[in-house]
Amino acid sequence: MKNLLSVAINEIGVKEIAGSRHSKRILEYAKESGFPWVNDDETPWCSIFMNWVTKKAGLKNSNSAAARSWLNVGESVNNPEPGDVVVYYRGDFNSWQGHVGIFMGFSADGSRIYTLGGNQLDAVSISAYAADKLLGFRRLNPSRKPILPKPILKRGSKGEEVVKLQNILKSLDYAVGTSDGDFGPKTQNALILLQSTEFGREANGVYDEGTKIYINSLLENRS
């Protein structure tokens, strides 16, 4: 499962084309995420971009071009982490209008929310939005049972297998921060907490074959 942030960050700079021409890449977002009826880059595409990114990352999506549809995807969280979904309202609070993107962080005074998304100044970009327009934060879960990473992983390990482990730990409600592929102290501590829930297991923060089997049983029970 690819890192959601990596997928989105790689698209920064894609933008609409002024005039009668349209961005081929934006039209690809629509086609590949299930919106073949979109034939121009002037159709609001923030939710289309989010559907494209989440499908590439193997996460649940809204299958809707409406920004507020994301309020029904994943679980609501009050303490967002980079990579969580953020939804805002536009116009009236009770209207259908909105904007959706990926939470990146708060401004120092908390009045602005830095958001990575599509259709922001007509492009994929990181922009600051007023916090008082917030409708909610959502944390996404894998759209299917994830493929477990190969052991052994431990403090200092890096790469795609670590990203898999971090995403799985987050889906099991263990805080690891950003799924950045770096097995650091947050990932180690989260793994220790998980291991401590299995009777008789040494909670050493190392992802080994026994831990893999235990995590698989937890995922089976949740499915």
Side-chain angles (χ1 to χ4, degrees):
M1 182 167 58
K2 292 184 178 179
N3 185 341
L4 175 79
L5 284 174
S6 295
V7 173
I9 287 171
N10 285 339
E11 301 300 310
I12 289 177
V14 173
K15 59 184 179 180
E16 298 175 16
I17 299 175
S20 60
R21 297 174 59 211
H22 304 291
S23 166
K24 180 179 178 181
R25 188 59 169 162
I26 293 173
L27 296 182
E28 287 176 351
Y29 297 153
K31 181 179 179 181
E32 293 177 7
S33 54
F35 306 98
W37 49 268
V38 175
N39 54 20
D40 61 64
D41 60 11
E42 295 162 3
T43 299
W45 52 279
C46 64
S47 183
I48 290 172
F49 179 71
M50 280 300 302
N51 275 281
W52 182 85
V53 169
T54 52
K55 286 184 178 182
K56 291 292 183 182
L59 298 170
K60 291 183 178 179
N61 48 75
S62 77
N63 290 314
S64 170
R68 295 193 186 207
S69 64
W70 290 90
L71 292 171
N72 299 313
V73 183
E75 59 180 335
S76 176
V77 292
N78 295 320
N79 298 304
E81 300 174 352
D84 287 336
V85 174
V86 56
V87 184
Y88 306 95
Y89 70 87
R90 290 193 301 113
D92 186 81
F93 178 85
N94 294 313
S95 77
W96 60 269
Q97 294 178 305
H99 179 71
V100 62
I102 301 169
F103 173 79
M104 299 297 286
F106 290 102
S107 62
D109 62 2
S111 67
R112 310 287 285 179
I113 301 173
Y114 297 110
T115 305
L116 167 58
N119 206 13
Q120 298 183 170
L121 299 176
D122 298 333
V124 178
S125 65
I126 297 176
S127 302
Y129 286 81
D132 61 8
K133 297 290 186 180
L134 175 69
L135 285 175
F137 297 108
R138 310 294 296 186
R139 184 158 298 157
L140 305 181
N141 297 313
S143 59
R144 57 189 179 277
K145 183 181 174 183
I147 298 174
L148 294 172
K150 299 175 182 178
I152 291 176
L153 299 172
K154 58 184 179 180
R155 182 79 173 264
S157 297
K158 298 179 184 294
E160 193 64 32
E161 294 299 295
V162 177
V163 171
K164 291 179 184 178
L165 176 61
Q166 290 170 327
N167 284 330
I168 289 170
L169 288 170
K170 288 169 76 171
S171 76
L172 293 171
D173 300 323
Y174 291 94
V176 299
T178 304
S179 298
D180 56 5
D182 187 354
F183 197 125
K186 288 185 178 180
T187 302
Q188 183 182 46
N189 291 337
L191 194 58
I192 288 173
L193 287 173
L194 179 143
Q195 290 172 328
S196 67
T197 65
E198 183 183 16
F199 179 75
R201 166 164 293 281
E202 178 187 3
N204 58 8
V206 175
Y207 176 77
D208 53 17
E209 189 63 37
T211 304
K212 177 182 178 181
I213 293 171
Y214 181 52
I215 289 177
N216 185 64
S217 70
L218 295 176
L219 294 173
E220 290 284 357
N221 289 334
R222 284 171 62 117
S223 61

